[in-house]
Amino acid sequence: HDGAQADAGRFECRFDDANLKAARGLPLADVGDIRFQALGQDGDFYHSQSFWRPGTPDADRELRPGPVDRARELLLGRRHHQGVVFGAEFAPDAPGYCVGLRFGCRDEDRPSYRFTVEHLPGKGATNRERYCLTRITRGGERRLEEWSRPVPETSRPEPVCLLADASTPGEVRLYRNGTAVLVHHRDGPLAGAAGVYVGPGTAAVVRHLEYRFDRPEVRQEQPQRNEV
């Protein structure tokens, strides 16, 4: 069944060399690695060389999708991969952004998912951050869960580190900057590719991509309730 709830947990956005060597995952250190592991992109995360412009250098360690008027996504891995743990850091250029992760992406006949964090600029308590989990099928999109909370006002947003952990059969844990904000329950393990999402009108630097087949070490803390 579809459902979600939030609890508290912690993960490290980046892993030290010892942990990386022990992890099972895809190398995504630079654009060259990302090109090789990409299943496909719908957007401007990186460019191939052409007569009109140079391509994105393979040695670059950041993706820089610009503020166009449509959503963009980049999928990595393979559609048969199971139990993927995927994360990335987003550094939006300005308030009013929407960034997220895609996961469970197989084919158009089977559902996939999108986890987004959206900053809704405002004054005081109306300056909010919204978390959404959306189920995507050939027939359209259905929002499974949504909640928001007030956040401090800022002229330049801080980087946002997101992670989707599907390593446990029957659930996907979704994190924002180390805190679990949603848990999606489903029947059985989740298979499919994963990737990054940047919403319409959002420009952001995307970096520190992690695509693993094992769960990063999680430090449990006291449960907390989210504001709904």
Side-chain angles (χ1 to χ4, degrees):
H1 70 282
D2 289 327
Q5 64 184 27
D7 68 357
R10 296 286 173 181
F11 77 99
E12 296 297 329
C13 261
R14 292 160 226 158
F15 304 90
D16 60 31
D17 290 340
N19 285 337
L20 281 173
K21 290 175 182 176
R24 297 188 308 121
L26 303 182
L28 297 171
D30 55 32
V31 170
D33 288 342
I34 292 169
R35 286 186 207 270
F36 185 77
Q37 301 295 348
L39 186 60
Q41 73 158 324
D42 179 14
D44 56 346
F45 291 91
Y46 58 81
H47 301 285
S48 299
Q49 184 173 353
S50 71
F51 178 79
W52 302 105
R53 68 183 176 192
T56 306
D58 281 349
D60 280 10
R61 291 179 172 267
E62 297 178 336
L63 306 173
R64 295 179 176 272
V68 298
D69 59 359
R70 66 182 183 87
R72 291 136 294 159
E73 60 183 47
L74 166 67
L75 295 182
L76 300 158
R78 295 297 178 265
R79 300 188 189 278
H80 66 272
H81 285 169
Q82 195 168 96
V84 171
V85 180
F86 181 76
E89 183 180 275
F90 300 83
D93 279 1
Y97 60 82
C98 181
V99 296
L101 304 178
R102 296 278 276 116
F103 57 94
C105 301
R106 291 175 290 176
D107 55 60
E108 292 184 354
D109 294 324
R110 289 180 283 191
S112 62
Y113 299 90
R114 182 175 65 233
F115 165 49
T116 54
V117 174
E118 184 177 7
H119 178 227
L120 308 169
K123 294 294 185 182
T126 65
N127 190 68
R128 303 185 72 83
E129 194 169 75
R130 179 165 61 194
Y131 312 102
C132 296
L133 176 63
T134 303
R135 186 175 186 263
I136 303 168
T137 64
R138 185 191 293 271
E141 300 183 358
R142 181 165 68 91
R143 191 161 289 179
L144 301 178
E145 196 76 9
E146 173 185 340
W147 68 278
S148 67
R149 65 183 180 95
V151 293
E153 295 179 50
T154 177
S155 59
R156 185 170 183 85
E158 295 293 323
V160 178
C161 194
L162 305 181
L163 184 137
D165 177 2
S167 62
T168 301
E171 72 174 28
V172 180
R173 304 173 72 85
L174 304 169
Y175 295 85
R176 186 263 195 222
N177 283 9
T179 299
V181 294
L182 292 171
V183 178
H184 168 65
H185 297 285
R186 63 187 311 277
D187 294 329
L190 180 65
V196 292
Y197 169 91
V198 176
T202 296
V205 174
V206 185
R207 58 200 176 205
H208 304 309
L209 279 65
E210 299 275 1
Y211 189 114
R212 303 160 54 102
F213 302 104
D214 57 0
R215 186 176 185 177
E217 183 179 350
V218 175
R219 183 173 69 252
Q220 298 294 334
E221 295 188 350
Q222 292 298 318
Q224 66 183 18
R225 290 185 177 275
N226 291 314
E227 297 176 64
V228 179

